[in-house]
Amino acid sequence: MNRVPTKMEGLDEVLGGGIPAGSVVLVSGAPGTMKTSLTYHILHANALAGVRGLYVSLEQSRASLVDHTEGLGYRLEDTDGKLSILDLGTLRKKLTGSTAQPWMDLFKLYTQGIRKSFDYRLLVLDSLDALEILAKFREPRKEMFSLIHWLRDLQCTTFLLGELSTDMGANGSARTAYAKHKEEYLADGIFHLRLARQGEFGMQRQLRVVKMRGTRHDTGYHALVFDNGLRVTRILA
Ligand SMILES: Nc1ncnc2c1ncn2[C@@H]1O[C@H](COP(=O)(O)OP(=O)(O)O)[C@@H](O)[C@H]1O
Ligand SMILES: [Mg+2]
C-alpha cells in the first residue's frame, strides 16, 4: 500500500509507515493541543521531500500561522515553494465586488483551482469547525457528509482539524465523540490530541491513533513532545 509518511519521529512507527495515501483524516482535539502544529509538521516535512502540500487556514491569518510555525522551527522558505498557504479569510475580504461568495463554494473553488497549477498531494483544512460556522450549515450532518465525499474525490491525503464534542450516551454516560456530526464514521482515520493531567500540577500533551483504515496500529495514547521539533514517544509511567 502507498503510504504518506508523517515524518514525525515515533508516529510513523505507530502507523506502520504512514497514512494510506488518499485518506481523509480527522485531527481532533481541544484548542492548544497542537492540531495546527502537527499537521503543519507533516506538510512541511513532506514538502522538504518534494511532495506538495496546501494548508487552508480559516482560523488564523497567514501571518499568524507563519509566525507560529516558524517559532516551532519550520521555515517556509526551506520548502522551495512546495508548501502553499491559502488564507481564505483574508482572500474573501479582498474579493470586493463579488457580493459575498458563499464560503463553501469559495473553499471548493480555490482548493480545486489551485490544484491545476500546483499539484498538491496533501491538504489541510484548519478547521472544519470554522468552515461550518462561516458556511452556516443548515443541515450539518448532510453537508459534512457531502464535503467529505467531495474531498475524497480530490484524491489527495486530507487532514480535517476540529474540536471534540462530548455526546451523552443512551444511559447518560458521557462518550467522547471525535467529531460533531458523525464525520468520524466517514473519515478513514482519526487522530485524537489531548492535554492529560500528569502528577499534581503538570499536564502532558498526548496523541492517540483512534482509527486508521488499512492499518494495524497501536490504539493507545502516546506523549507528543516538542523539543527539537515535534515527536511522539511512549508515555513513561
Ligand atoms: N515556539 C513554541 N515552542 C513550543 N511550543 C509552542 C511554541 N509556540 C506555541 N507552542 C505551543 O503550541 C500551542 C498551540 O499549538 P497549536 O498547534 O496552535 O494548537 P491547536 O491548533 O490545537 O489550537 C500553544 O498553546 C503552545 O503551548
Ligand atoms: Mg489551530
Side-chain angles (χ1 to χ4, degrees), residues 161-215:
L161 278 49
E163 287 177 22
L164 297 170
S165 72
T166 305
D167 274 359
M168 280 300 166
N171 59 3
S173 63
R175 166 189 171 270
T176 301
Y178 298 101
K180 289 191 173 130
H181 308 294
K182 311 281 179 212
E183 311 84 283
E184 52 201 282
Y185 296 108
L186 275 183
D188 302 302
I190 302 174
F191 288 156
H192 179 212
L193 305 186
R194 71 172 185 187
L195 274 167
R197 194 168 289 283
Q198 198 182 42
E200 201 175 350
F201 305 109
M203 296 296 273
Q204 183 185 51
R205 293 180 194 288
Q206 296 180 348
L207 175 148
R208 162 168 128 80
V209 181
V210 179
K211 164 181 177 181
M212 191 61 68
R213 284 183 181 145
T215 307

